[in-house]
Amino acid sequence: MELGMIGIGRMGANMAQRLVRAGHKVVGYARTASTVEQRVKEGAISSGATSLEDVVHQLSTPRILWLMVPAASVDDTIAQLLPHLSENDIIIDGGNSNYQDDIRRAAELKKHNIHYVDCGTSGGVWGLERGYCEMIGGEVETVKYLDPIFKVLAPGIEAASRTPDRTTQGGTAEYGYLHCGPHGAGHFVKMVHNGIEYGIMAAYAEGLNILRHANIGKNQGLIDAETAPVQSPEHYQYDMDLPEIAELWRRGSVISSWLLDLTAHAFQQSRDLSNFSGRVSDSGEGRWTVKAAIDEGVPAHVLSAALYDRFESRNEAEFANKVLSAMRFEFGGHHER
Amino acid sequence: MELGMIGIGRMGANMAQRLVRAGHKVVGYARTASTVEQRVKEGAISSGATSLEDVVHQLSTPRILWLMVPAASVDDTIAQLLPHLSENDIIIDGGNSNYQDDIRRAAELKKHNIHYVDCGTSGGVWGLERGYCEMIGGEVETVKYLDPIFKVLAPGIEAASRTPDRTTQGGTAEYGYLHCGPHGAGHFVKMVHNGIEYGIMAAYAEGLNILRHANIGKNQGLIDAETAPVQSPEHYQYDMDLPEIAELWRRGSVISSWLLDLTAHAFQQSRDLSNFSGRVSDSGEGRWTVKAAIDEGVPAHVLSAALYDRFESRNEAEFANKVLSAMRFEFGGHHER
Amino acid sequence: MELGMIGIGRMGANMAQRLVRAGHKVVGYARTASTVEQRVKEGAISSGATSLEDVVHQLSTPRILWLMVPAASVDDTIAQLLPHLSENDIIIDGGNSNYQDDIRRAAELKKHNIHYVDCGTSGGVWGLERGYCEMIGGEVETVKYLDPIFKVLAPGIEAASRTPDRTTQGGTAEYGYLHCGPHGAGHFVKMVHNGIEYGIMAAYAEGLNILRHANIGKNQGLIDAETAPVQSPEHYQYDMDLPEIAELWRRGSVISSWLLDLTAHAFQQSRDLSNFSGRVSDSGEGRWTVKAAIDEGVPAHVLSAALYDRFESRNEAEFANKVLSAMRFEFGGHHER
Amino acid sequence: MELGMIGIGRMGANMAQRLVRAGHKVVGYARTASTVEQRVKEGAISSGATSLEDVVHQLSTPRILWLMVPAASVDDTIAQLLPHLSENDIIIDGGNSNYQDDIRRAAELKKHNIHYVDCGTSGGVWGLERGYCEMIGGEVETVKYLDPIFKVLAPGIEAASRTPDRTTQGGTAEYGYLHCGPHGAGHFVKMVHNGIEYGIMAAYAEGLNILRHANIGKNQGLIDAETAPVQSPEHYQYDMDLPEIAELWRRGSVISSWLLDLTAHAFQQSRDLSNFSGRVSDSGEGRWTVKAAIDEGVPAHVLSAALYDRFESRNEAEFANKVLSAMRFEFGGHHER
């Protein structure tokens, strides 16, 4: 098939390359001309385009346009594309849009008889080789039409052993892609995927932090009225070898996972992770997941805590902490240490 | 009555003074001789002692010894006192001991026929004027014997309006002191009191922090794939006047409280609390409260979160955050900002 | 002044009465005619109206219309009022609207030269006697015009002792009402007020729950591989008297508050609160507070946990728990008990 | 080598079998004679014993005794074994003991010149085939001596692909077992492993619960002052196919893991998990992990929340919720629904 890939940064270029390797034609576009040239040279795209209009003109109808741009640029990009499109063309948003924007966009584009598909894509920088897990939302016919594309991008059935007792016949989930429901369903599932990701990451991070401080009993605390001393220092005398423990858990343990594999790798770069400062970004999906939980009225203690820990890593609790210090000074005359 | 006050720092001196004003005799002792002299000069104590032995000798039997020393020094102090005591003497620990230590100490002292009473004391630096809320554990007879002391230290019935429909006859709770149960019960109740205190403080701190950031929509965020932009900046255009809002809530609102009164006062010193850095200590009871919840198998989401926020204010999550950054770099090539 | 009170249920009627007592004229309206008659009979309103149109006609211009209706009915009510209003009339939403709706409504009404004011009101069923804490958003001139109304509804300066060192001159915060900022600012502050309220309530609830289970060591646990036994039963032998402890903390403790006063009262009705089942509603503000925290990127561990505890009290975690049980069965063959 | 396996329930029998298959001699013992007979018949053990004494007598010195009994029975079992043991015999606790008990036991046994090793074992009912992840604490020489046993039980290096860039030479972590440090270090690491396990499980559970309620907008809520309505029902119209989504995430996603594999399997048994009630046990390690975090003064928001969610699944928050309902009734006259 033919496809225009709009946005050929790290993620977009890798996806294009996976499509090209499988025999699809990919017209690539980026705002920076040198990026386009580079991608052509690398063979990541079949041909480069000089403008959005140029992308459109290089494709035969019905056109397939895959957007791989920051969520905040999707509306602009669609607005610029729209004048050049024809009825039945298809726009796929493969980035990290909020699913509520998908619902709105699909309705707007429907007025122009343009089809819209949202595709949450997981796999990060490893996707070129490992394949992308695709969570897809949109109309049944359109998603079915795009099947050859989704299939190539997906990891394929051999990427994991078969789930024992699986009785479901057919379906694409075992290949690593799934039509999850109507417009927005793909990004909804991706949003929750990322919410879970935050939670799992925080679980490992907290656990490893506890292991790291398992030698706290070696440092004698102060005796005064304001500092809680280590209650039983004899129980905290362990110098744990975190790189080896992360490696250990990869085999046979209940908590083996791909994120643990990556953590074991990270420890090979620096055993105390001193190449990082601990300032953790969040890119939206964790926030939306918590908001969805609230809208639905279901508890999300863990996912929220994981999100807030990121806020706190960026010092966003500073004023709250000052309030606490101020109160402690007020009622107890406690000075900060 | 006569009483030895061991530990006449801020808290101990104020309590002694309250007792002296009511006509009790208080022998005061501190490790630093100049402190003792100062307290005598202030009139906070009836007389000063030069040693623990001296305290004991200045009191008639059965002696009452009120300890107001750091929790970590209680066992030492008792060990030094013990050789000088007689049967039926009474030791009161009025500091912040763990209630489990009370149970142990009471059993040890019982072998010497010395009575032990634990008294959790709330009121902070305001207690001289406002009175102390006393949560008491120990034997019925001993606690009853000490009633004149507890009564004087307590705020008294006029410190709050009567609870409507209150049918309980008698009792001391309305005066601000209570025999809560056997050894340790006083510090157990005090421990939970402080756990609740952490939770309430955190609730105000988080809420005020949300108000403070209510103008975040005024700062335009970056458009890139890694930063979550403010979703609807038009909804976050408020410059809130926190000192006035804290004052406002003191009257008629559901969240009026003494801690809010103190917060309103703190804002009068500095409207952005810039006199604090936000490094928040914890002195033990919050930790013990959470451990008690775990031992009992009851959830304590809020009290734990309040405790952990203090740990985080002291940067104890740093390594955990590095783990998160390392994982993000591993799967997505994300660099820290 | 003259004012139409639309919605004269529990809250609205009490507010009307407070205004009438102070000499203002209040025209009251409810959808049920018998309610209106009753309020006239009680003297809670100066006169009753048979329709929204009738309310409008009984008032002189510029009219003041105070809405005290469910948040979900405000838009409808305004739509029905609008045809009967004149330029410069004022609509006050005194209910629990989301502040984002205030911003939208104010903009819409401005096109008709109608002024809109949002007023978050705290005080519950006690407000008639105790006064209402009012958090107000809107244009400076309009809010100033309404001052006589706000002042009467507020508790007044004598409702609390003066904050020591208070240097702020003038202002209304000390009277219990405050113009917090432009449209929506009032409900924003009220929203955060309620978020804090959830947190404080949860802190007491968790703490009291820990006290209630302080006798868990009296029940011997099973010895098997799947149940965590009580680690040191000798430390959990206390039968705590919760009604007396709640009363105790009202005087001199750091955690004295109005919510504690109410809790002490509740325990007088039933010492084990057996008149409640523990199914806790939430009415929106707690949710919005957490969403605001997320939009602002500030942590709200405690306020979120308090919100989720309410969801969990209504069994909304049931499916999540089934997932946990299913996983435990899968990896460990663990059966539920 | 020769080894006595004390406790041949599900876990112990599988471990014995794995050792027997590899050519080790295993003497098995259980309190119920029929269990021993059955294990002999299955070939899970080389021979059965009729008493602890009999186990000891069937082994040559230095004897190796592997305990696979409930944590609460370990001290008893050791006390019964001790009279029959000789110097240099080795006791391994392969169950779920608290590491603090390991430290105590090792010190006690050292007086008798008996060696003690703690071995946290992960792998559950799948270990026979998948191998066990072993986290080991004890003296260097003793652990080295036992290497042939640990190696056989472990999954082996082929159980996972090699961590790229791994520079560490030698070591056993890549085989799935590790000497983590002195006495207790093995169970400490296992404890944190389980703490992390709770967190990961809760992350999936919360996320799947959010997906399950993604159709909440289809149910119209009530309009009243006490129920928070679904804010934008049009955004919650999805009927998600959870079994297919769990399957989908197994390939290419960031959150692929063994626990997800198991979850996908569980959904094949029942797509709504109606075979479970949602009452989730906890067996100790999650509690100890949180207590360790507190002792160390490091935050553990996520691990604690995961633990408390289990408590709540067993209704342990009931009284706390009644307190909330009581407060709401007190200040707002709110009745429970």
Side-chain angles (χ1 to χ4, degrees):
Chain A
M1 299 181 88
E2 293 180 19
L3 176 146
M5 180 67 72
I6 295 164
I8 44 178
R10 201 169 39 203
M11 280 286 285
N14 281 350
M15 296 175 81
Q17 185 135 44
R18 208 168 153 97
L19 289 163
V20 167
R21 283 183 189 171
H24 294 295
K25 172 184 161 184
V26 179
V27 181
Y29 171 74
R31 276 180 306 177
T32 317
S34 60
T35 303
V36 180
E37 285 166 32
Q38 166 107 26
R39 296 311 182 211
V40 172
K41 211 176 298 170
E42 295 165 1
I45 53 178
S46 316
S47 69
T50 56
S51 66
L52 289 173
E53 187 176 354
D54 187 20
V55 178
V56 172
H57 290 166
Q58 290 191 41
L59 296 169
S60 36
T61 56
R63 301 182 191 91
I64 304 172
L65 294 149
W66 187 295
L67 309 194
M68 215 64 206
V69 300
S73 307
V74 172
D75 280 324
D76 267 7
T77 307
I78 292 178
Q80 290 171 49
L81 276 173
L82 197 52
H84 309 295
L85 297 184
S86 323
E87 294 203 356
N88 288 318
D89 284 354
I90 301 168
I91 293 177
I92 305 163
D93 178 3
N96 285 326
S97 285
N98 185 308
Y99 76 95
Q100 301 183 4
D101 291 326
D102 295 322
I103 296 174
R104 172 179 52 76
R105 284 172 198 145
E108 289 164 4
L109 289 170
K110 195 185 175 72
K111 295 178 199 156
H112 303 274
N113 280 321
I114 309 281
H115 303 285
Y116 180 86
V117 170
D118 53 288
C119 178
T121 312
S122 182
V125 292
W126 298 80
L128 173 56
E129 148 199 337
R130 196 173 173 257
Y132 299 91
C133 180
E134 296 159 285
M135 298 150 254
I136 306 161
E139 305 142 326
V140 173
E141 284 311 307
T142 312
V143 173
K144 191 173 280 175
Y145 176 76
L146 296 169
D147 187 81
I149 295 200
F150 292 132
K151 188 157 204 163
V152 162
L153 290 172
I157 197 164
E158 67 290 345
S161 62
R162 191 148 215 255
T163 296
D165 304 323
R166 186 168 163 88
T167 56
T168 314
Q169 299 301 325
T172 62
E174 287 188 285
Y175 294 81
Y177 67 107
L178 182 70
H179 181 198
C180 298
H183 297 302
H187 276 134
F188 193 102
V189 174
K190 175 57 161 48
M191 168 187 85
V192 174
H193 165 282
N194 281 33
I196 294 173
E197 176 190 306
Y198 280 35
I200 296 176
M201 289 171 68
Y204 285 119
E206 289 183 4
L208 290 166
N209 199 25
I210 293 170
L211 287 176
R212 185 175 170 89
H213 288 78
N215 61 1
I216 198 168
K218 293 185 172 178
N219 307 312
Q220 202 49 13
L222 300 168
I223 295 193
D224 66 29
E226 302 204 11
T227 306
V230 179
Q231 267 196 286
S232 48
E234 71 278 14
H235 292 144
Y236 297 95
Q237 299 284 337
Y238 302 114
D239 293 304
M240 295 294 183
D241 186 338
L242 298 190
E244 292 306 281
I245 290 171
E247 183 65 39
L248 167 70
W249 285 340
R250 295 183 64 226
R251 289 174 184 82
S253 92
V254 171
I255 61 173
S256 64
S257 72
W258 191 54
L259 280 163
L260 179 63
D261 297 343
L262 298 174
T263 305
H265 181 249
F267 277 123
Q268 291 302 316
Q269 318 304 310
S270 162
R271 55 178 298 115
D272 57 1
L273 305 180
S274 57
N275 41 341
F276 297 97
S277 70
R279 191 175 162 80
V280 192
S281 294
D282 75 287
S283 54
E285 296 90 346
R287 300 179 179 210
W288 307 332
T289 302
V290 175
K291 287 180 169 186
I294 292 171
D295 280 340
E296 297 178 5
V298 300
H301 285 288
V302 165
L303 306 189
S304 303
L307 176 66
Y308 298 147
D309 284 346
R310 295 195 175 191
F311 294 168
E312 290 192 32
S313 80
R314 303 186 319 243
N315 212 22
E316 300 292 356
E318 185 185 14
F319 184 72
N321 292 331
K322 289 184 177 181
V323 172
L324 297 179
S325 284
M327 285 186 186
R328 294 187 83 242
F329 178 75
E330 287 286 327
F331 68 71
H334 303 294
H335 289 278
E336 292 184 320
R337 297 181 168 276
Chain B
M1 299 180 87
E2 292 182 20
L3 176 145
M5 180 68 71
I6 295 164
I8 44 177
R10 199 169 40 204
M11 281 286 285
N14 281 349
M15 296 174 82
Q17 184 134 46
R18 207 167 154 97
L19 288 163
V20 167
R21 284 184 188 168
H24 295 294
K25 168 182 163 187
V26 180
V27 181
Y29 171 73
R31 276 180 306 177
T32 316
S34 59
T35 303
V36 179
E37 285 167 31
Q38 166 107 27
R39 295 313 181 210
V40 173
K41 211 176 298 170
E42 294 166 1
I45 53 178
S46 317
S47 69
T50 57
S51 66
L52 289 174
E53 190 177 351
D54 188 22
V55 178
V56 173
H57 290 166
Q58 292 192 40
L59 296 169
S60 37
T61 56
R63 301 183 190 89
I64 303 171
L65 293 148
W66 187 295
L67 309 193
M68 214 64 205
V69 301
S73 308
V74 173
D75 280 322
D76 267 7
T77 307
I78 292 178
Q80 290 171 48
L81 277 172
L82 197 52
H84 310 295
L85 297 185
S86 324
E87 294 204 358
N88 288 319
D89 284 354
I90 301 169
I91 293 177
I92 304 163
D93 179 2
N96 286 324
S97 285
N98 185 309
Y99 76 96
Q100 301 183 4
D101 291 326
D102 295 322
I103 296 175
R104 172 179 53 75
R105 284 175 198 142
E108 289 165 4
L109 289 170
K110 195 185 176 73
K111 296 178 200 158
H112 304 273
N113 281 321
I114 309 282
H115 303 285
Y116 180 85
V117 170
D118 52 287
C119 179
T121 313
S122 183
V125 291
W126 298 80
L128 172 56
E129 148 198 340
R130 197 175 171 256
Y132 300 92
C133 179
E134 296 159 286
M135 298 151 255
I136 306 160
E139 305 142 324
V140 172
E141 284 310 305
T142 312
V143 174
K144 191 172 282 175
Y145 176 77
L146 297 168
D147 188 80
I149 296 202
F150 293 132
K151 188 158 204 162
V152 162
L153 289 171
I157 198 164
E158 69 290 345
S161 62
R162 190 147 216 253
T163 296
D165 304 323
R166 185 167 164 89
T167 57
T168 313
Q169 299 301 326
T172 62
E174 287 188 285
Y175 294 81
Y177 67 108
L178 182 70
H179 182 199
C180 298
H183 297 301
H187 276 136
F188 194 102
V189 174
K190 174 59 161 49
M191 168 186 86
V192 174
H193 165 282
N194 280 34
I196 294 172
E197 175 191 306
Y198 280 36
I200 295 176
M201 288 171 70
Y204 285 119
E206 289 184 4
L208 289 166
N209 199 24
I210 293 170
L211 288 176
R212 184 173 169 91
H213 288 79
N215 62 1
I216 199 169
K218 292 186 173 176
N219 306 312
Q220 201 50 11
L222 299 168
I223 294 193
D224 67 28
E226 302 202 12
T227 308
V230 178
Q231 267 195 285
S232 47
E234 71 278 15
H235 292 144
Y236 298 95
Q237 300 284 336
Y238 303 113
D239 294 304
M240 295 293 184
D241 186 339
L242 297 189
E244 292 305 282
I245 291 171
E247 184 64 40
L248 167 70
W249 285 340
R250 296 182 64 226
R251 289 174 183 83
S253 91
V254 170
I255 61 173
S256 63
S257 73
W258 191 53
L259 279 164
L260 179 63
D261 296 345
L262 297 175
T263 305
H265 181 249
F267 277 124
Q268 291 302 317
Q269 317 305 310
S270 162
R271 53 179 298 116
D272 56 1
L273 305 179
S274 57
N275 40 342
F276 297 97
S277 70
R279 191 174 164 81
V280 191
S281 294
D282 76 287
S283 54
E285 296 89 346
R287 300 178 179 211
W288 307 332
T289 303
V290 175
K291 286 180 169 187
I294 292 172
D295 280 340
E296 296 178 5
V298 301
H301 285 290
V302 164
L303 307 190
S304 303
L307 176 66
Y308 297 148
D309 283 347
R310 296 195 175 191
F311 294 167
E312 290 193 32
S313 80
R314 305 189 315 246
N315 212 23
E316 299 293 356
E318 184 186 17
F319 184 72
N321 292 332
K322 288 183 178 183
V323 172
L324 297 179
S325 285
M327 285 186 186
R328 294 188 82 242
F329 178 75
E330 287 287 327
F331 69 70
H334 303 293
H335 290 278
E336 291 183 322
R337 299 177 170 277
Chain C
M1 299 180 87
E2 292 180 20
L3 177 145
M5 180 67 71
I6 294 164
I8 44 178
R10 201 169 39 205
M11 282 286 286
N14 281 349
M15 297 175 81
Q17 185 135 45
R18 209 168 152 98
L19 289 163
V20 167
R21 284 184 188 169
H24 294 295
K25 169 183 163 185
V26 180
V27 181
Y29 171 72
R31 274 182 306 178
T32 315
S34 59
T35 303
V36 179
E37 285 166 32
Q38 166 108 28
R39 295 313 182 211
V40 172
K41 213 176 296 171
E42 293 166 4
I45 53 178
S46 317
S47 68
T50 56
S51 66
L52 289 173
E53 189 177 351
D54 187 23
V55 178
V56 173
H57 290 167
Q58 291 192 39
L59 297 169
S60 36
T61 58
R63 302 181 190 90
I64 304 171
L65 293 148
W66 187 295
L67 309 195
M68 214 63 204
V69 300
S73 307
V74 172
D75 280 323
D76 267 7
T77 308
I78 292 179
Q80 289 171 48
L81 276 172
L82 197 52
H84 310 294
L85 298 183
S86 323
E87 294 202 358
N88 288 319
D89 284 354
I90 301 169
I91 293 178
I92 305 163
D93 179 4
N96 286 324
S97 284
N98 185 308
Y99 75 95
Q100 300 183 3
D101 292 325
D102 295 323
I103 296 174
R104 173 179 52 76
R105 284 174 197 142
E108 288 165 4
L109 289 170
K110 195 186 175 74
K111 295 177 199 157
H112 303 274
N113 281 323
I114 309 284
H115 303 285
Y116 180 86
V117 171
D118 53 286
C119 178
T121 313
S122 183
V125 291
W126 299 79
L128 172 57
E129 147 198 340
R130 196 173 172 255
Y132 299 92
C133 179
E134 296 159 286
M135 298 151 254
I136 306 162
E139 306 142 325
V140 173
E141 284 310 306
T142 312
V143 174
K144 190 173 282 176
Y145 177 76
L146 297 168
D147 188 81
I149 296 207
F150 292 131
K151 188 157 204 163
V152 161
L153 289 172
I157 198 164
E158 69 288 344
S161 62
R162 193 150 213 253
T163 296
D165 303 325
R166 186 168 163 90
T167 56
T168 314
Q169 300 300 326
T172 63
E174 287 188 284
Y175 294 82
Y177 66 108
L178 182 70
H179 182 199
C180 298
H183 297 301
H187 277 135
F188 194 102
V189 174
K190 174 56 160 51
M191 169 186 83
V192 173
H193 165 281
N194 281 32
I196 294 172
E197 175 191 304
Y198 280 35
I200 296 176
M201 288 171 69
Y204 286 119
E206 289 184 4
L208 290 167
N209 199 25
I210 293 170
L211 288 177
R212 183 174 170 88
H213 288 78
N215 62 1
I216 199 168
K218 294 186 172 178
N219 307 311
Q220 200 52 11
L222 299 168
I223 295 194
D224 66 30
E226 301 202 11
T227 307
V230 178
Q231 268 196 285
S232 47
E234 71 277 16
H235 292 144
Y236 298 95
Q237 300 284 338
Y238 302 114
D239 294 302
M240 296 293 186
D241 186 339
L242 299 188
E244 290 306 282
I245 291 171
E247 183 65 40
L248 168 70
W249 286 340
R250 295 183 64 226
R251 289 176 184 80
S253 91
V254 171
I255 61 173
S256 63
S257 72
W258 192 54
L259 279 164
L260 180 63
D261 296 344
L262 297 175
T263 305
H265 181 251
F267 276 123
Q268 292 301 317
Q269 318 305 310
S270 161
R271 56 179 296 117
D272 56 2
L273 305 180
S274 56
N275 41 340
F276 296 98
S277 70
R279 193 175 162 82
V280 191
S281 294
D282 75 287
S283 54
E285 296 90 347
R287 300 178 179 211
W288 307 333
T289 302
V290 175
K291 287 180 169 186
I294 292 172
D295 280 340
E296 296 177 6
V298 300
H301 285 288
V302 164
L303 307 189
S304 303
L307 176 65
Y308 298 148
D309 283 348
R310 296 195 174 191
F311 295 167
E312 290 192 33
S313 81
R314 304 190 314 247
N315 212 22
E316 299 292 357
E318 185 185 16
F319 184 72
N321 292 332
K322 289 183 178 183
V323 171
L324 297 179
S325 284
M327 285 185 183
R328 294 187 83 242
F329 179 75
E330 288 286 327
F331 69 71
H334 303 293
H335 290 278
E336 291 183 320
R337 299 182 167 275
Chain D
M1 300 181 87
E2 293 180 21
L3 176 145
M5 179 67 71
I6 294 164
I8 44 178
R10 203 167 40 204
M11 281 287 285
N14 281 349
M15 297 175 82
Q17 184 136 45
R18 208 169 153 98
L19 289 163
V20 168
R21 283 183 189 169
H24 294 295
K25 171 184 159 186
V26 179
V27 181
Y29 172 73
R31 276 180 306 179
T32 316
S34 59
T35 303
V36 180
E37 285 166 33
Q38 166 108 27
R39 296 313 181 210
V40 172
K41 212 176 298 172
E42 294 166 3
I45 53 177
S46 315
S47 69
T50 56
S51 66
L52 290 172
E53 189 177 353
D54 187 23
V55 179
V56 173
H57 290 165
Q58 292 192 39
L59 296 168
S60 36
T61 56
R63 301 184 191 89
I64 305 171
L65 293 149
W66 187 296
L67 308 194
M68 214 64 206
V69 299
S73 307
V74 172
D75 280 322
D76 267 6
T77 307
I78 293 178
Q80 290 171 46
L81 277 172
L82 198 52
H84 310 294
L85 298 183
S86 322
E87 293 203 357
N88 288 317
D89 285 353
I90 301 168
I91 292 177
I92 306 163
D93 179 4
N96 286 325
S97 284
N98 186 309
Y99 77 96
Q100 301 184 3
D101 291 325
D102 295 323
I103 296 174
R104 172 178 53 76
R105 284 174 197 143
E108 288 165 3
L109 289 170
K110 195 186 177 74
K111 296 177 199 157
H112 304 273
N113 281 321
I114 310 282
H115 303 286
Y116 180 86
V117 170
D118 52 286
C119 178
T121 313
S122 182
V125 290
W126 298 80
L128 173 57
E129 147 199 339
R130 197 173 171 254
Y132 299 90
C133 180
E134 295 159 286
M135 298 151 254
I136 306 161
E139 305 141 325
V140 172
E141 285 310 306
T142 312
V143 173
K144 190 173 282 176
Y145 176 76
L146 296 169
D147 188 81
I149 296 203
F150 292 132
K151 188 158 203 161
V152 162
L153 289 173
I157 198 164
E158 68 289 343
S161 62
R162 192 149 214 254
T163 296
D165 303 324
R166 187 168 162 88
T167 57
T168 314
Q169 298 302 323
T172 62
E174 287 188 285
Y175 294 81
Y177 66 107
L178 182 69
H179 182 199
C180 297
H183 297 301
H187 277 136
F188 193 101
V189 174
K190 174 58 161 48
M191 169 187 84
V192 173
H193 164 283
N194 281 33
I196 294 173
E197 175 191 304
Y198 281 34
I200 296 177
M201 288 172 69
Y204 285 120
E206 289 184 4
L208 290 167
N209 199 24
I210 294 171
L211 288 177
R212 184 174 169 90
H213 289 78
N215 61 2
I216 200 168
K218 292 185 172 178
N219 307 312
Q220 202 48 13
L222 300 167
I223 296 193
D224 67 30
E226 301 202 11
T227 307
V230 178
Q231 266 196 287
S232 48
E234 70 278 15
H235 291 143
Y236 297 95
Q237 300 284 336
Y238 302 113
D239 293 304
M240 295 293 185
D241 186 339
L242 298 190
E244 291 306 283
I245 291 170
E247 184 64 40
L248 168 70
W249 285 340
R250 297 183 62 225
R251 289 175 183 82
S253 90
V254 171
I255 61 173
S256 63
S257 73
W258 192 54
L259 279 164
L260 180 62
D261 297 344
L262 297 176
T263 305
H265 181 251
F267 276 124
Q268 292 301 316
Q269 317 305 310
S270 162
R271 55 178 300 116
D272 57 1
L273 305 180
S274 56
N275 40 341
F276 296 98
S277 71
R279 192 174 163 81
V280 191
S281 294
D282 76 287
S283 53
E285 296 89 347
R287 300 178 180 210
W288 306 333
T289 303
V290 175
K291 287 181 169 186
I294 292 171
D295 280 340
E296 296 178 4
V298 300
H301 284 289
V302 164
L303 306 190
S304 303
L307 176 65
Y308 298 147
D309 284 347
R310 295 194 176 191
F311 295 167
E312 291 193 31
S313 81
R314 304 188 317 246
N315 212 24
E316 300 291 356
E318 185 186 15
F319 184 72
N321 292 332
K322 289 183 178 183
V323 172
L324 297 179
S325 285
M327 285 186 184
R328 296 188 81 241
F329 178 75
E330 288 287 327
F331 68 71
H334 303 293
H335 290 278
E336 291 183 321
R337 299 182 166 276

